[in-house]
Amino acid sequence: MIIENEKVRLEVVEHGGEIQSFYDLTHQLEYMWQGDAAFWSGKNPSLFPMVSNTWTKDYEWQGQRYAMKNHGLVRYADLKCVKHTADEIVMELHENEDTLKQYPFHFTFQIHYRLNGKRLDVVYHITNDSEDVMPFSFGLHPGFNCPLLPGEKFSDYKLVFPQDEQPKQLAFHGRHEIIDRSFKEIALNYELFEEYATLVYKDIKSPYVELVGPKHKVRVGCLGYPFLAFWTAKRDAPFICIEPWYGHGDFEEVNCSFDQREGTMNLKPHEGFTTSYFIELF
């Protein structure tokens, strides 16, 4: 499914309801990571109903054990296009036999994509179609080409916030620790990710973060998300993921029920949850 205007073109695919391409027609430039098994075959999965995984890779609910793959269900499913107009695409997933084996709830999961100039607004609607309270977490995982242009390096780029930040970093490198940080920008280098694997920050105040290179940048909205993570696969991987999250995986063994894990939301029967973010190209 494709929508475009005079400035950008967006392509969305059924698998995961993911963005296949967000292309700058002005500069003839692809901003989105296209996936490569040598580094990471993923692209920009939606994380539902779990961000990452539990410490044991499974969980108990009402006396039964269930397990999901990393980051939940949606990224592995094929979503149906339920709306495709000149400027909007809507993808949808309902529970099915496969999801119920992993997550015993009935739900409607929608992704709305809409273009506004060089900005893409992405809105998520999650509805609990069950008769019980539905615990879930949610996050985003869009990957961006980094570097964007031939001749540039990963280390030519930085992450820039519009205001000074003093978040807590949730670090796991041999042991779990929380580190107080202070910054307005983060210079990218592979050594940083070799030390921490994933940079996870709690309580970022800025409404967005920018991936800034020598000639171009991309702005990603993160307003309202309690956690913001950054990840790349390994040294020489030519991409970075900018990931607003509502929750996170277990950094250590957690002694609480599935619905009480940090960042888990509990949606009442037949109620809905809506959240959004945006990607803007420069």
Side-chain angles (χ1 to χ4, degrees), residues 18-55:
E18 293 186 8
I19 301 169
Q20 174 68 32
S21 171
F22 191 26
Y23 192 81
D24 186 334
L25 296 170
T26 307
H27 298 102
Q28 299 292 295
L29 186 61
E30 176 62 69
Y31 276 74
M32 306 304 296
W33 170 245
Q34 297 295 290
D36 183 339
F39 296 105
W40 179 51
S41 58
K43 298 174 184 176
N44 49 87
S46 300
L47 316 183
F48 169 85
M50 187 180 296
V51 176
S52 188
N53 214 322
T54 65
W55 183 256

Side-chain angles (χ1 to χ4, degrees), residues 106-217:
H106 296 258
F107 62 84
T108 301
F109 183 95
Q110 285 190 342
I111 313 173
H112 295 241
Y113 296 101
R114 182 180 288 272
L115 293 178
N116 181 12
K118 297 184 78 169
R119 170 169 161 155
L120 170 64
D121 290 303
V122 188
V123 181
Y124 293 84
H125 296 299
I126 299 169
T127 304
N128 178 9
D129 299 324
S130 300
E131 298 301 326
D132 298 315
V133 171
M134 183 176 81
F136 71 98
S137 189
F138 177 79
L140 311 168
H141 202 312
F144 299 92
N145 288 326
C146 184
L148 283 164
L149 294 174
E152 295 178 347
K153 304 186 299 294
F154 186 82
S155 58
D156 292 334
Y157 284 71
K158 57 186 177 181
L159 298 163
V160 180
F161 297 85
Q163 62 190 62
D164 293 326
E165 296 291 349
Q166 294 182 316
K168 294 186 180 298
Q169 181 182 354
L170 280 62
F172 180 78
H173 47 128
R175 60 187 177 87
H176 179 215
E177 62 178 322
I178 299 175
I179 306 169
D180 289 321
R181 294 296 193 196
S182 180
F183 52 73
K184 190 171 183 178
E185 61 181 53
I186 302 170
L188 291 183
N189 60 77
Y190 290 115
E191 289 78 11
L192 186 62
F193 292 95
E194 287 173 345
E195 180 177 3
Y196 293 110
T198 303
L199 303 177
V200 183
Y201 299 104
K202 183 178 182 180
D203 296 330
I204 292 288
K205 305 303 181 185
S206 293
Y208 61 81
V209 60
E210 294 180 332
L211 174 63
V212 179
K215 295 184 178 180
H216 298 280
K217 68 179 181 180

